[in-house]
Amino acid sequence: MVVNEGLSIGALAARTGLAVSAIRYYEAQGLIRPWRNTGGQRRFERSDLRRLSFVMIAQQFGFTLPEIRTQLDRLPGGRTPTKADWARISAGFRARLDEKIETLTRLRDNLDGCIGCGCLSLPNCALYNPTDRAAEKGAGPRYLMGDRPEA
């Protein structure tokens, strides 16, 4: 019978490119759950490589650690997650990613002109946002955030 010796924190750091301190932080945040060997050293499952990779990618897309932890908590305990497990939690982010893509597309398409802030500083604002109607919808670049000018 093969005994699972797990990965040391150094091996996990080397493989993920994360600092040991970052791995400890993610552990404190409940994103990974190492166990201790008989010598009291932290040991990690190989599946923690995927967990940490997911954390790094999700953070790049602007997800918070609590949001990421909520998704990771949906993974099974006691066994290595399967492709289907990962697909299930990825689906949880799909709607948010679609919203971000839509916002970035609007930004890209409108950045060279008015970004819908209601500043009234451009001649077009007199047409698209007379009397600063955008401000009635709330603070910030309302049209970029998805609000549409009233006809």
Side-chain angles (χ1 to χ4, degrees):
M1 180 168 112
V2 176
V3 176
N4 178 6
E5 295 181 15
L7 296 171
S8 69
I9 195 167
L12 192 62
R15 180 61 180 88
T16 61
L18 290 167
V20 169
S21 59
I23 294 171
R24 287 186 183 122
Y25 178 75
Y26 291 145
E27 176 188 352
Q29 296 300 308
L31 300 171
I32 53 176
R33 294 176 184 90
W35 46 277
R36 301 274 177 173
N37 67 9
T38 56
Q41 297 171 320
R42 280 183 181 91
R43 292 294 185 218
F44 298 86
E45 298 295 333
R46 292 198 59 77
S47 60
D48 287 330
L49 291 168
R50 287 190 117 185
R51 284 177 168 266
L52 290 174
S53 296
F54 181 79
V55 170
M56 293 186 314
I57 295 298
Q59 282 185 300
Q60 286 182 4
F61 286 114
F63 294 101
T64 66
L65 290 181
E67 290 171 319
I68 296 167
R69 184 177 53 247
T70 297
Q71 293 302 319
L72 289 176
D73 285 347
R74 297 176 62 203
L75 290 175
R79 69 169 171 81
T80 301
T82 64
K83 184 176 179 178
D85 295 325
W86 285 107
R88 188 178 66 254
I89 71 166
S90 296
F93 280 154
R94 185 171 301 280
R96 290 275 313 281
L97 286 171
D98 288 343
E99 290 171 16
K100 287 176 184 283
I101 290 168
E102 185 178 325
T103 298
L104 288 170
T105 300
R106 276 196 309 274
L107 175 62
R108 180 201 63 211
D109 293 347
N110 296 305
L111 193 58
D112 60 348
C114 178
I115 62 168
C117 64
C119 68
L120 301 175
S121 64
L122 298 173
N124 285 347
C125 288
L127 297 173
Y128 294 114
N129 190 23
T131 66
D132 196 17
R133 287 187 298 200
E136 296 170 8
K137 299 175 185 287
R142 300 313 311 172
Y143 300 154
L144 179 61
M145 294 167 59
D147 293 335
R148 298 286 173 237
E150 311 264 333

